[in-house]
Amino acid sequence: MNKNSWSKGWLLLSLLVMVLAGCASTATQESTGEYIDDATITSKVKAAFVGDKQVSALDIHVTTYKGVVQLSGFADNPDEVQQATELARNVKGVKAVRNNVQLK
């Protein structure tokens, strides 16, 4: 193998390692797949709120990070807060729910 072929091989290997490292998650950053999964979970939780008569989908905000759903915003009563938590907990892929919803 000549020197030029050997250099090209190392260059390709280095590029492959950098690309794969760019797709990996860290403690503070999601991978592309995790981001898509979290966006799907957020959409499903919001859809569950829209379909429920007790929970105001406009007043309760949903964010998801690595499968952990965070609820924030305002609710009219404690039952609405509890129902929002249960709806979020029942969505496939949810690892935990952090409920920071405040009563109006």
Side-chain angles (χ1 to χ4, degrees):
M1 201 179 257
N2 64 30
K3 186 177 180 181
N4 194 21
S5 295
W6 192 247
S7 296
K8 287 180 183 178
W10 276 109
L11 179 62
L12 286 173
L13 180 61
S14 298
L15 287 172
L16 179 63
V17 168
M18 286 189 290
V19 167
L20 292 176
C23 294
S25 67
T26 65
T28 58
Q29 185 176 1
E30 295 176 297
S31 70
T32 303
E34 287 173 328
Y35 178 82
I36 292 169
D37 291 345
D38 287 344
T40 301
I41 289 170
T42 297
S43 295
K44 288 181 178 180
V45 171
K46 288 180 180 181
F49 289 177
V50 169
D52 190 89
K53 294 177 183 176
Q54 187 176 358
V55 176
S56 172
L58 297 176
D59 291 335
I60 299 178
H61 307 284
V62 181
T63 57
T64 308
Y65 183 73
K66 294 191 176 191
V68 177
V69 173
Q70 178 148 352
L71 306 177
S72 60
F74 298 94
D76 292 327
N77 56 60
D79 291 335
E80 183 179 1
V81 176
Q82 182 62 33
Q83 180 68 6
T85 302
E86 288 303 313
L87 289 171
R89 218 178 253 144
N90 290 329
V91 170
K92 183 178 179 182
V94 172
K95 295 177 182 175
V97 176
R98 293 185 180 147
N99 192 332
N100 293 323
V101 175
Q102 304 293 315
L103 293 176
K104 290 182 182 177

